[in-house]
Amino acid sequence: MHFPTAMVLGALSAACNADSLEVYQRCTKIDKCEGLGYFRTDYGETEVSGNGGCHRTNVPYLEEFCIDWSAGKVSFRFQHQNKRCMLLVSTQDWRCSFRYCYKHVFQEISCNWAMAKEEPQDDGELPFILKEEEK
């Protein structure tokens, strides 16, 4: 039995797609920041809080979502799945009206660290809103 090459490659790429997170962070001081994140899955993009700690989100079926800025890590878990992780892979300057502005990109990696136990989640309120032209 032969399968068309395009079908095989499409199936492989769909199976290998990983989730990612892009955070736009604005700071009044180097250590006084707030962030707005864009959590991307195969099903779309959803705004999330990009601040440190654990947050509720509007990402469908996402039950746990925590950012550890000091370690450059994100841990998350979808309903009926094991914990998954992301690592900070790039940071670049971003133009905004604050003193320091950064765009951070996290990419999914295999998990080898523990998820925070029973850390309280905030209400997931977004710290600010970005206009499309600011991205």
Side-chain angles (χ1 to χ4, degrees):
M1 176 186 282
H2 295 284
F3 293 100
T5 303
M7 180 187 291
V8 173
L9 291 176
L12 284 174
S13 67
C16 296
N17 282 349
D19 295 338
S20 65
L21 175 68
E22 191 172 273
V23 176
Y24 290 84
Q25 193 176 49
R26 59 189 196 181
C27 312
T28 53
K29 296 182 180 177
I30 200 72
D31 61 344
K32 296 287 186 192
C33 302
E34 60 184 3
L36 175 64
Y38 292 89
F39 193 97
R40 293 189 176 95
T41 69
D42 290 342
Y43 303 104
E45 176 182 277
T46 304
E47 289 180 331
V48 296
S49 173
N51 295 334
C54 295
H55 312 285
R56 290 188 180 97
T57 73
N58 290 324
V59 178
Y61 307 105
L62 186 63
E63 293 187 339
E64 296 177 40
F65 174 73
C66 301
I67 299 176
D68 181 351
W69 279 108
S70 64
K73 299 176 182 177
V74 173
S75 55
F76 62 103
R77 188 176 61 77
F78 284 96
Q79 187 177 38
H80 306 298
Q81 289 187 359
N82 291 326
K83 174 188 71 168
R84 294 164 61 188
C85 302
M86 294 185 201
L87 188 65
L88 179 62
V89 295
S90 73
T91 297
Q92 60 190 48
D93 290 338
W94 161 62
R95 178 180 277 164
C96 78
S97 61
F98 282 62
R99 184 172 175 124
Y100 305 101
C101 302
Y102 307 103
K103 175 184 163 187
H104 305 280
V105 177
F106 292 84
Q107 293 292 326
E108 189 168 354
I109 61 167
S110 60
C111 277
N112 59 1
W113 66 82
M115 185 171 246
K117 292 189 183 208
E118 300 300 316
E119 189 168 329
Q121 293 184 340
D122 67 15
D123 62 6
E125 183 176 336
L126 300 177
F128 59 92
I129 303 296
L130 277 181
K131 296 179 181 125
E132 191 61 36
E133 64 269 9
E134 291 181 299
K135 282 172 125 182

